[in-house]
Amino acid sequence: QVFTFNRVEIRVQPSLEVKNGAPMSVICHADISKNTDFQLKHNFTIFKDGKIVFMTVSDKEDAHYEIPVAKSSDTGDYECIVKADGKLGFSSNSVYVWVAGMTKPILTADKKEVLEGEVVKLRCELPEEVPPLEFFFRKIKTNSAPKEKRVPEQNQNFSEVEYYVEEGDNILQFDCFGKRQVRSGWESSQHSNKTLVTVKPFIKPTLITKPSSNVTEGDQIEFECSTVVAQIRDIEIIFQKNRTILNSVRDKKFLKYSTVATQEDSGEYLCKVEQGAVSKTTKLNVFVSELFPKPTLSASMTKLDENKDLILSCSINGFRRANFSIVRKSSRGDILLKNSRVLAIKVNVNDTGSYACKAEVKGIVKESKPVRINVYAPVSKPTLSVVSGSPEVVLGKPLQLICHSVMGTPPITFTFYKGDEMKKNVTNDTYATFLDEDIGLDDNGGYKCDARNNHSSGVKTSNILNVTVIVPIRDASLGSVPYGEVEVGSDTAFLCSVKEGSWPIDFKFFKKTDHEVLLHEVREYSDRTIWHKKTMKRKDTGTYYCMASNRASVDVRSRPITISVILAAWQKGVIAAFVLTAMAGAGAVALWWFLRKKKK
C-alpha cells in the first residue's frame, strides 16, 4: 500500500465574501495517489489567523467546517493541513474570508425618566462581536444635530457612557453603533434600537421683595426666592448680590433673606436654583433712596504744635437731627472720643492720627471721610559728627558726616553746609548722612547742619565741626654721614626724611638680613629725623632702609643704602708694624742658623 500527496487545497462556499448571518462552509481537500484501491484515514486541521478552529479524521478526501451563521468575527485568513498514516501532507494555500456587516447592537438605559441636571447611563453591546471594537453613542434632540461620543474598547464587546441632562432637554432619544477594523479599512454596524428618555424640568425660580423694590435707607427689606420642582432632592437655592453669596438652602423650595436697607444695598440681586449640572436664575434690581447724606468732619487746623487747641466739628448738609460721634481711626478698630458734634482738645504728639465722625438716623450709620491731624514737637539742636568717630579725614578719601536730632516730630529736614555753601537737603525721621567726596588741603573745618520740621519754632543749627585733613606720607628717603664706608669705632648719623605728610610722623630704621630687624623708632613733629649710631663694628656692615607713616595709616619705605665698616688708619699701622717685626725676627733666626751650620 503505497500513496503520495499531490496537493492540499482549501476553498470557501458560497464565496470568499459572506454576508453577516449567512451560512458558510470551509472545505479542505487532499489530492492523493495510491498504488491500489485501499482505505486511508486522513487527519484534517483547519486554521484561522494561525489558530486551530476545526479538526476531524475521515477516510474521505474532503473535510467540511460548517458555520451556520457567519459573524464578523469569522473574518480572517484560513488554511489547512492534512496527515495520513503518519505521513505529513502539504499545507494548503491561505485564503482571506470577509464576513461583511456586523451584528446590530443592543442599547439600554438605566432610567426612562430623569430630572434636569441628572445623569443617564447607557450601555451598548455587540453580542456576537469580538474586540477590539469602537462604540459610538448618540444623543438625539429635536431640531438639533446629534451629540456623539466615541469609546474604544480593547477587551470587551460592550461599552458604557454617561450623559448629563442639560437645561432645556425635554424628550431625549439615544442610539449607538459599532465599528471594527478590517483589511480594507473600517466596517460599521447598523444603528441600535432607539431608547427614549423623558425629562422632568424644574421651573425658573421666582424672586420678590417686600415691601417693594424701591425703598429708603433704614427700611426693612425682605427677599423671597422660590422654585417649583418635581422633587426637592439635591436642589440648592443660592441668593447673591454681584458675586457675594448672601444666603443659601439645600433640599428646600423656599429661601428668605432680610436686612435694614442702606445705599450700598442698591443693585442687582440674583436667585439661582441648582440641580446637578443644571441651574436657572432670576434677577431683580433694587433701588435704595438716600435718607441723609454722609457727614463732614472739619478741623480748626490739620498741622499744629503740641499743646495747641484743636477743635473738630461734625455736620450734615441740610440735616441736623442725627446722633453724632467723633472717633479716632485705629488698626484695631475705631476709638470713640465723644458722642457729640464738637470735640475740643489740647493736643500732644500722641494725638497725631486720622479722625472721623459718624451720624446715626433710624439705625442707619454713616461715616465721614477721615481727616488727618499732625501734631509736631520742636526739633532739638542737632549734633554733627563724623561717622567713623574721629574728626579727621585722609586727603583724597571721602568724609561721611551724620546729623542727628534727639527730639522732634518727623519728618525732619536736615541741611548740610560746607563753609557757607549749602551742600545737601535730606528729609528723614531722626538723622541724615552726608558724604563729601571732594576733600582738599584747605578743608580743615567749617561743616554744620540745620534741622527743621513743621513746628513753628523754626530751624535749629548744630555747632561748627572742624575736620582735620591728614596728608599721607610721600617719598621717604634715607641717607648717612659718613656715606658708604665707615671706620670701625666711629659714629654714623642716619637721616630719614619725607617730601610730604601730616605731623606727627613715625620713623623706623631697619637693617636688612635674612629677616627685617627694627633698629630704632621715633615719633617726630617734623618731616625728618636723625638717628645717631655709636661705635660702628664690622658686623654692622649691611643694607639699611627707613619707613615713615602717620595717621593716614600708609607705610612708605625708602630706598636701601649699603654701609661698609672698615679698619681705622692707626689699626692698619699697628698691623703693618707687627708684620714687619715678625718678618725681621724670622730673618734673624734664619741667619743665626745659617752661620752656626757653616761654623760646624
Side-chain angles (χ1 to χ4, degrees), residues 445-500:
Y447 291 97
K448 66 178 180 180
C449 70
D450 290 343
R452 70 179 183 277
N453 64 357
N454 288 313
H455 194 273
S456 61
S457 60
V459 177
K460 303 290 176 63
T461 304
S462 71
N463 294 330
I464 293 177
L465 175 66
N466 293 314
V467 177
T468 302
V469 179
I470 305 298
V471 180
I473 301 296
R474 185 166 66 88
D475 295 344
S477 62
L478 178 64
S480 68
V481 178
Y483 184 80
E485 290 185 345
V486 180
E487 292 183 349
V488 173
S490 64
D491 296 343
T492 301
F494 290 92
L495 172 64
C496 186
S497 62
V498 297
K499 280 190 177 181
E500 189 177 58

Side-chain angles (χ1 to χ4, degrees), residues 76-132:
D77 289 299
Y78 289 82
E79 63 177 333
C80 69
I81 296 177
V82 183
K83 294 180 183 178
D85 199 20
K87 185 181 288 188
L88 182 62
F90 299 108
S91 296
S92 71
N93 57 312
S94 176
V95 295
Y96 178 71
V97 178
W98 179 27
V99 179
M102 298 173 65
T103 56
K104 184 176 180 178
I106 301 170
L107 179 67
T108 56
D110 67 334
K111 299 172 186 174
K112 295 295 182 184
E113 191 175 78
V114 292
L115 300 171
E116 281 185 327
E118 285 192 328
V119 174
V120 178
K121 183 182 286 187
L122 303 175
R123 175 188 170 100
C124 185
E125 184 176 2
L126 289 163
E128 298 183 6
E129 302 298 337
V130 176

